[in-house]
Amino acid sequence: MSTRTAAVVAGLGTCLPAAEFDNTSLAAGLDTTDEWIRTRTGIAARRRVAPEVSMRDLACEAAANALSSARLETAGGLILATTTPDRPCPAAAPEIAQRLGLGQIPAFDISAVCSGFLCATAAATGMIAAGITDSVLVVAAETYSRIVDPTDRSTAVIFGDGAGAVLLRRGSATEQGALLAFDLGSDGSGKDLIHIPGEAEQPDEQRWFSMAGRKVYLRAVEQMTASALQVMKDCAWTPETVDALVPHQANARIIQAVADRLGVPPERAVCALSRVGNTASASIPLALAEALATGQLNSGARTVLTAFGGGLAWASAALTWPQLTAVTSEI
Ligand code: COA
């Protein structure tokens, strides 16, 4: 058996805003219905931060929870994935590291929209493999309620706020929790399918997040299927031997279509967006915590993570799920 060095998932933490908004509460001001939202997306409610809560507050809580899940007090690096920075400059990761008392560790943000968590996980794995540090907190935090147009029914009902984090530590590829394979890719020709215009592009108007829903839907199914298949091949896993498929939580129909195309039994596809909506980069760690709570995910499970989103960018990873208890909180 291989004893090669690997990054190992050792802790999982999440943080959600306490305030929940169900479909009916949003439908009142928009030309939509609870029925449309449920049947077209699988979403029944989403969380939204209170005005005084920042993306950084969510990120700090989730990161602290991941540390306590790993029973650790410190980490050697911190990478934050977000599309909704509280301030355009500087990156928020150094402040989060400082607020957590982690000292002057390497800390930076990455912007990869819905693939951010897995891209950050890949970067953290590289830092551990290169010997730069022995452990990294990978944090994904989003406050989409601040960038979606509240009058746009095609985005306002879909996105929610939240954060999730994992603690990665140096270990061996034979351990449970070891990240065994990655697949990452991008296609900049789709840059306008999900975007917020820059000030130079649209100087005098309110600049909201926009998404070409149908086009993104079709591409998401195609790309997450291909990318997930690649990491399964790298691990010599066949789809029917995968215990848990955890895709980016954009739409219940996309999740089922990816499982279907892959040939992963539908009950093994984790769909955890019903009460939180699409939380962009935070969706995979939030779905992992939910699947642990419901018993859909257990230690030893052959687990495939896959994400797709703005950029366009996509990423997948494979691991056997470790024995751990997720720590969750609300703010
Ligand atoms: N309520 C009622 N009607 C709505 C609506 C809403 N909330 N949102 C959109 N519609 C309408 C559209 O205006 C359109 O009307 P038209 O045919 O008169 O133009 C119709 O529903 C169908 O729109 P379409 O975009 O084709 O619907 P859809 O079944 O694709 O569902 C999304 C829309 C956004 C839910 C879906 O496309 C989606 O989930 N896209 C991908 C999201 C994703 O993967 N993102 C990844 C990165 S975050």
Side-chain angles (χ1 to χ4, degrees):
M1 261 219 240
S2 159
T3 52
R4 81 181 158 85
T5 298
V8 175
V9 174
L12 172 66
T14 67
C15 179
L16 283 166
E20 185 182 276
F21 295 81
D22 67 13
N23 291 344
T24 312
S25 70
L26 297 189
L30 292 168
D31 183 15
T32 188
T33 60
D34 172 51
E35 160 80 9
W36 193 97
I37 303 166
R38 275 178 201 268
T39 54
R40 304 305 291 169
T41 70
I43 297 166
R46 71 289 296 143
R47 306 293 184 94
R48 289 181 172 176
V49 284
E52 68 279 8
V53 174
S54 66
M55 180 280 294
R56 289 164 290 173
D57 296 332
L58 281 174
C60 267
E61 282 273 327
N65 290 343
L67 274 177
S68 99
S69 163
R71 299 169 198 272
L72 292 172
E73 285 178 0
T74 190
L78 191 149
I79 307 178
L80 171 70
T82 188
T83 320
T84 52
D86 301 314
R87 308 195 295 182
C89 179
E95 178 189 329
I96 294 159
Q98 178 256 324
R99 280 170 62 175
L100 293 172
L102 301 179
Q104 297 182 350
I105 59 169
F108 55 90
D109 292 7
I110 66 156
S111 174
V113 199
C114 298
S115 301
F117 172 73
L118 290 179
C119 289
T121 300
T125 298
M127 284 170 72
I128 290 171
I132 295 168
T133 178
D134 286 341
S135 63
V136 182
L137 265 171
V138 175
V139 192
E142 304 283 12
T143 48
Y144 265 65
S145 61
R146 296 195 169 132
I147 62 166
V148 294
D149 178 352
T151 67
D152 177 1
R153 67 180 181 174
S154 70
T155 54
V157 300
I158 290 173
F159 290 92
D161 302 340
V166 292
L167 186 284
L168 300 186
R169 62 158 174 83
R170 184 192 303 276
S172 107
T174 54
E175 284 181 73
Q176 281 190 354
L179 287 153
L180 302 172
F182 282 99
D183 176 69
L184 274 72
S186 74
D187 176 7
S189 72
K191 65 186 187 304
D192 295 327
L193 295 181
I194 294 173
H195 80 293
I196 302 173
E199 201 172 348
E201 293 173 290
Q202 203 172 300
D204 300 320
E205 291 169 55
Q206 178 81 49
R207 295 186 301 278
W208 296 115
F209 173 89
S210 82
M211 177 170 73
R214 196 72 213 160
K215 284 186 180 155
V216 172
Y217 184 111
L218 298 171
R219 194 71 196 272
V221 173
E222 182 190 317
Q223 207 65 62
M224 283 198 285
T225 303
S227 183
L229 202 55
Q230 187 57 52
V231 294
M232 286 183 208
K233 276 190 184 148
D234 291 345
C235 294
W237 294 351
T238 55
E240 58 279 8
T241 66
V242 168
D243 299 306
L245 173 69
V246 189
H248 167 51
Q249 306 284 305
N251 185 318
R253 291 185 297 139
I254 294 178
I255 293 168
Q256 281 310 322
V258 171
D260 191 45
R261 284 203 185 186
L262 285 169
V264 170
E267 67 281 5
R268 297 188 198 163
V270 172
C271 187
L273 48 61
S274 163
R275 309 298 315 174
V276 295
N278 178 345
T279 55
S281 70
S283 87
I284 287 180
L286 283 167
L288 288 168
E290 177 72 13
L292 276 175
T294 61
Q296 200 180 1
L297 182 63
N298 294 293
S299 67
R302 290 180 166 194
T303 305
V304 173
L305 315 176
T306 186
F308 174 87
L312 303 168
W314 55 90
S316 299
L319 73 160
T320 50
W321 190 254
Q323 178 68 50
L324 60 76
T325 304
V327 178
T328 63
S329 63
E330 294 190 348
I331 191 169

